[in-house]
Amino acid sequence: MQHLQHLAAGDGRNDIPTAPFLRLEPVHLGHAPAIQRLAADPAVTATTNLPEPYPPDGALHWIRYLLPKRQAGVEYAFVLLDARDEVVGVNGFVEVRREEGWAELGYWIGRPYWGRGYATAGGRLLLNFGFGELGLHSVVARPLVRNRASCRVLEKLGFRFVETQRNVFPKFHPDDLLAVYEMTAGEWAALP
């Protein structure tokens, strides 16, 4: 996966001409301080599955949990790096079922970087990896219905809204609703 370090948001099909420069790098322990700083923001944790409040050792604990999962091929997480090599957020596949050709996409962007197109640009890079490198047939995402910004990112990426689902995540209220989105490899390949 080292080659992902050289991909940028403007390097291929399905990219908006004004997309910010962005590259993905597999998460490693050296990213912990930057992830910790961004993830500790209550505005970030409010609508993500990050613990709230974010624990002081949350990033180190998560990365140590993640590394064997990446080795097993069941979870992939990347930091999104801007042109200055600053971590602006994290994205990845939180559950990968290679036998079924399926994965669930997750992402968050640090508040100082909101509104700059990073989630969409990072999503394009991640989908190129998922449909290309991993050979996935389908990718789903399940943001909270009330997280309109996340829903808009998925729509910009070309995801299709499938249904509204009752919340399954213990962090959120049982009455919260999830917006289920899906994209197939064929739909991704057909995008301009």
Side-chain angles (χ1 to χ4, degrees):
M1 282 197 287
Q2 200 67 2
H3 65 284
L4 286 174
Q5 293 181 339
H6 303 291
L7 292 177
D11 285 352
R13 64 170 197 71
N14 297 322
D15 289 307
I16 299 171
T18 58
F21 175 85
L22 193 67
R23 60 193 182 91
L24 300 181
E25 183 173 280
V27 170
H28 58 72
L29 289 170
H31 297 128
I35 292 171
Q36 183 69 39
R37 180 176 43 80
L38 295 173
D41 186 331
V44 172
T45 59
T47 56
T48 66
N49 273 318
L50 294 172
E52 189 175 11
Y54 200 69
D57 62 348
L60 277 174
H61 180 74
W62 173 68
I63 295 168
R64 288 182 180 133
Y65 160 87
L66 167 71
L67 295 176
K69 289 191 166 287
R70 183 170 57 209
Q71 285 296 112
V74 297
E75 191 167 327
Y76 295 90
F78 301 92
V79 290
L80 287 71
L81 298 168
D82 69 7
R84 296 172 301 181
D85 280 338
E86 288 186 24
V87 174
V88 301
V90 172
N91 74 5
F93 295 118
V94 294
E95 185 175 345
V96 177
R97 298 180 189 165
R98 298 287 288 270
E99 309 79 35
E100 300 167 35
W102 180 91
E104 183 168 351
L105 180 144
Y107 55 92
W108 59 267
I109 302 296
R111 185 166 35 167
Y113 306 100
W114 287 1
R116 298 186 192 182
Y118 287 126
T120 305
R124 284 188 172 88
L125 293 172
L126 185 64
L127 290 168
N128 278 333
F129 170 71
F131 290 125
E133 297 290 319
L134 297 180
L136 298 174
H137 302 294
S138 177
V139 173
V140 299
R142 298 182 297 164
L144 291 166
V145 167
R146 62 184 163 91
N147 187 349
R148 285 304 308 148
S150 203
C151 293
R152 280 193 304 275
V153 165
L154 295 168
E155 291 159 5
K156 284 188 220 174
L157 287 168
F159 275 80
R160 173 177 31 83
F161 174 77
V162 177
E163 66 181 346
T164 301
Q165 189 180 78
R166 288 192 67 104
N167 173 44
V168 296
F169 300 113
K171 175 181 173 179
F172 302 112
H173 192 276
D175 291 336
D176 257 320
L177 295 175
L178 302 176
V180 180
Y181 287 85
E182 182 178 26
M183 180 182 291
T184 65
E187 289 167 334
W188 178 248
L191 289 173

